[in-house]
Amino acid sequence: MSKNPSFSQPTGPLSVGNVVSAALRIYRDRFKLYYGLAFTAYLWILVPIYGWAKFSAISALISRLVFSELHERPETVNDARRHVNPRMWRFLWAGILVSLIFFGIALVASIGFGLLVVVLGAILGQNSTAIIIVSLLTVIAVLVFLVVYIRLISRLFIVEVPLAIENNMTANSAISRSWQLTEGFVGRLQWIVFVSFLITLPISIVVQIVTAIIQLLLGALFSADSPIFGLLYLVLVLAISLASGALLIPFWQAVKAVIYYDLRSRREGLGLNLRDNN
């Protein structure tokens, strides 16, 4: 597969258009393969813990395959699995750590907002002017939190990619690696994520519409209290969710792989290698 010319430039800003278009192009060219992997990954979600680890590993496997395409050293699925599968539990642990980071920050912020409202209320009193001031300050605090929170998400957006590609990576070092590579590119990463979200939005809307139609059709055929209604609705919605989710996962993993490739190219030159060690 030929390399996108835009990725031969190791300098200059990270282009939103180049990243998204490259991800779409590679996904289009390998749609059958990536969709099959993603659908299998989603089936594994139904199995607690072990299945979640498998889901994480297969998702990272897609990113590794995309990276190998960009690097013009394509791997077979079996070759890529040989490197990714031994790290399966590391992917799960990295995901847990990132979730705990996000949850911890959100929890601390929630407590902080609560204390802010209580303190300001005690200082300013309960008159209408005080309520307006407290409300405005709370809104400002929430907006500041959202900006910081989104920036944090951008810094940890590609955690599983270095874990899938580089050697001697643990969950902790993968988080540090993502933080290192994304430094200075957060603003552009946010635009990439936003544009990618807009591209996937129509699929999410269609899924919601189809789900509503299914509910209406089943409601016309069966009573809402009927066990048959509940069972059919659950099965159909689950099938739609699996199919649509599997459609989106490869695109997002491709976006992450392209971002990782571009950031490493800029920071470390084009002499990139797929690492073999676990």
Side-chain angles (χ1 to χ4, degrees):
M1 184 177 190
S2 61
K3 188 184 295 184
N4 188 326
S6 64
F7 284 92
S8 64
Q9 302 292 336
T11 60
L14 190 65
S15 168
V16 175
N18 286 343
V19 170
V20 175
S21 62
L24 285 171
R25 175 174 53 83
I26 294 174
Y27 184 20
R28 178 200 64 200
D29 293 343
R30 299 289 185 268
F31 176 80
K32 184 176 180 180
L33 172 62
Y34 293 166
Y35 183 81
L37 289 171
F39 191 80
T40 302
Y42 261 95
L43 290 177
W44 274 112
I45 286 182
L46 302 176
V47 181
I49 304 178
Y50 180 81
W52 303 340
K54 288 288 290 185
F55 171 83
S56 302
I58 295 173
S59 299
L61 173 69
I62 295 173
S63 288
R64 182 180 175 101
L65 291 171
V66 172
F67 177 83
S68 71
E69 294 283 346
L70 289 167
H71 194 37
E72 295 188 314
R73 296 181 183 179
E75 286 185 316
T76 65
V77 174
N78 288 336
D79 285 341
R81 276 201 180 108
R82 183 164 55 86
H83 300 292
V84 171
N85 282 350
R87 312 175 189 184
M88 183 177 73
W89 294 106
R90 301 183 208 175
F91 291 115
L92 179 61
W93 181 234
I96 292 173
L97 286 177
V98 171
S99 298
L100 288 175
I101 291 172
F102 292 152
F103 174 77
I105 292 175
L107 179 62
V108 171
S110 299
I111 295 173
F113 292 149
L115 291 175
L116 175 66
V117 172
V118 171
V119 171
L120 289 177
I123 295 174
L124 300 176
Q126 298 299 320
N127 57 72
S128 58
T129 302
I131 292 175
I132 293 174
I133 293 174
V134 170
S135 299
L136 288 175
L137 291 176
T138 302
V139 169
I140 293 172
V142 170
L143 291 176
V144 170
F145 165 75
L146 288 176
V147 170
V148 173
Y149 201 68
I150 292 172
R151 289 181 67 86
L152 177 63
I153 291 174
S154 300
R155 298 298 299 271
L156 301 179
F157 184 61
I158 60 170
V159 166
E160 71 271 28
V161 185
L163 187 54
I165 294 170
E166 300 185 38
N167 64 336
N168 300 321
M169 275 282 158
T170 64
N172 291 331
S173 59
I175 291 173
S176 299
R177 182 68 166 145
S178 178
W179 192 269
Q180 172 203 2
L181 287 173
T182 56
E183 183 177 1
F185 290 92
V186 174
R188 297 183 183 101
L189 289 178
Q190 290 173 348
W191 276 110
I192 291 170
V193 172
F194 178 69
V195 172
S196 300
F197 170 75
L198 291 180
I199 291 174
T200 61
L201 187 59
I203 296 176
S204 301
I205 294 174
V206 169
V207 169
Q208 295 300 318
I209 293 173
V210 172
T211 300
I213 292 173
I214 289 174
Q215 187 174 15
L216 290 174
L217 291 176
L218 290 178
L221 296 173
F222 306 99
S223 169
D225 298 329
S226 170
I228 297 178
F229 173 89
L231 179 61
L232 286 176
Y233 181 76
L234 177 62
V235 170
L236 291 174
V237 170
L238 179 61
I240 293 171
S241 299
L242 290 174
S244 60
L247 192 63
L248 297 178
I249 282 290
F251 171 66
W252 282 110
Q253 295 305 123
V255 169
K256 292 179 181 182
V258 176
I259 290 172
Y260 171 81
Y261 178 91
D262 187 81
L263 290 177
R264 280 199 63 187
S265 298
R266 299 182 192 286
R267 294 189 179 280
E268 300 169 0
L270 295 178
L272 305 174
N273 294 308
L274 286 172
R275 310 300 180 88
D276 295 335
N277 298 338
N278 296 320

